[in-house]
Amino acid sequence: MEDPVVQDLWGGLLSSSCTEAGDDDSNLLFITLLSELTKLEARLLKYICENAPKSAARSGLILAEHFTVSLDSLTEISGETDIHRLDRELDHLREVGLIHGGFHSDSPNVEAIVAPSAIGLHMYVRCQGLRTSPIDFFGLEIPDTKTTEKEGTQDTAS
């Protein structure tokens, strides 16, 4: 595909597939997912992964919050003005498990409320050419269980 965003994602995924032993097949899942995406979906996924508020759970797993993206922003990001195609592409990203959410039909403004899934964030990191965890990639800190428990105890005592 001639799209530079898609080419960058494929290049990063290829790079992160290289290991010393050469027997790691963990990127196979991401290769399959990326091969199913249109260039519009790849652009949307990249934007959603880069812009969603993220945090680390005490378990060490990554969490992402939903955020709102206007129709104008979606059009600018994707290069697509057809709202029906945008809706289908967001539906497909959700169907393959890379995002949560989509267009919010109850809003007076046309907007999408979206969040990347954990697998979407893992794929994004691998497509950046890295094999690190999303927690490390995004510079997140895992909450200290002991500190959180102490703070919780202090809060209830006051």
Side-chain angles (χ1 to χ4, degrees):
M1 195 178 291
E2 296 295 320
D3 186 74
V5 171
V6 175
Q7 288 178 347
D8 285 347
L9 294 176
W10 276 113
L13 194 54
L14 178 62
S15 176
S16 68
S17 295
C18 300
T19 62
E20 283 187 37
D23 62 352
D24 183 352
D25 65 354
S26 63
N27 271 4
L28 189 56
L29 169 69
F30 303 122
I31 290 167
T32 302
L33 287 168
L34 187 55
S35 72
E36 293 181 17
L37 301 186
T38 65
K39 67 180 177 182
L40 192 153
E41 290 171 331
R43 290 175 182 180
L44 292 172
L45 180 64
K46 180 178 186 291
Y47 178 84
I48 292 167
C49 287
E50 290 174 351
N51 291 282
K54 294 166 273 306
S55 61
R58 283 187 272 185
S59 63
L61 298 173
I62 191 160
L63 305 170
E65 295 178 31
H66 284 80
F67 70 108
T68 302
V69 186
S70 70
L71 179 59
D72 288 341
S73 294
L74 289 170
T75 298
E76 184 178 329
I77 295 158
S78 66
E80 179 60 58
T81 58
D82 181 353
I83 189 171
H84 300 289
R85 179 166 182 203
L86 288 168
D87 186 39
R88 285 191 311 266
E89 306 283 334
L90 287 171
D91 287 347
H92 183 249
L93 285 171
R94 186 177 61 250
E95 184 67 27
V96 298
L98 295 173
I99 69 165
H100 303 289
F103 277 111
H104 189 263
S105 58
D106 290 338
S107 174
N109 302 318
V110 180
E111 57 191 17
I113 301 174
V114 293
S117 66
I119 196 166
L121 291 167
H122 281 272
M123 181 172 142
Y124 175 79
V125 171
R126 292 289 178 101
C127 287
Q128 300 308 301
L130 301 170
R131 298 182 63 83
T132 188
S133 77
I135 299 287
D136 294 335
F137 178 83
F138 291 107
L140 304 174
E141 294 201 22
I142 299 170
D144 182 12
T145 311
K146 292 177 184 173
T147 304
T148 306
E149 287 173 1
K150 283 182 187 177
E151 289 172 356
T153 305
Q154 289 173 350
D155 288 343
T156 46
S158 39

